[in-house]
């Protein structure tokens, strides 16, 4: 991941270029008077960093899951007697 730094002036001059850099390489740090003030990220990266939880359906529909070997051990459930006294 590459971090790009742009001044506010550079960002205002070419917003399209900043969006392309963020989408391809990594976050773009935007400075104001030489100090970092904002970060431009792709929406996918924002979701990943913000901890958005996937639904079970989304998780199970991910590509490549059919290639994973998953054989959980069988669980034996035994019936126990109940002692009411």
């Amino acid at each position: 991941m590459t971090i790009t730094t742009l001044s506010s002036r550079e960002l205002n001059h070419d917003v399209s270029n900043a969006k392309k850099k963020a989408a391809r390489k990594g976050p773009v740090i935007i400075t104001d008077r030489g100090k970092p003030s904002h970060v431009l990220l792709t929406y996918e990266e924002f979701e990943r960093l913000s901890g958005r939880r996937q639904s079970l359906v989304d998780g199970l529909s991910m590509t490549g899951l059919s290639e994973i070997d998953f054989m959980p051990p069988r669980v034996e459930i035994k019936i126990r007697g109940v002692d009411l006294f």
Side-chain angles (χ1 to χ4, degrees), residues 1-2 7 12 18-21 25 27 31 35 38-39 42 46 49 51 61-62 64 66 70-72 75 83-85:
M1 170 174 64
T2 302
S7 68
N12 290 335
K19 290 192 308 187
K20 287 177 188 173
K21 285 182 180 180
K25 298 178 183 177
T31 61
K35 295 182 180 178
H38 296 82
V39 177
T42 61
F46 168 75
L49 292 173
S61 65
M62 290 173 36
S66 62
F70 180 67
M71 294 298 292
V75 176
D83 184 12
L84 299 176
F85 299 102

Side-chain angles (χ1 to χ4, degrees), residues 1-3 22 26-29 38-54:
M1 170 174 64
T2 302
I3 298 175
V28 177
I29 298 174
H38 296 82
V39 177
L40 177 64
L41 303 168
T42 61
Y43 188 73
E44 291 82 17
E45 185 68 6
F46 168 75
E47 283 185 316
R48 186 184 73 77
L49 292 173
S50 65
R52 178 183 165 257
R53 296 180 185 213
Q54 289 184 332

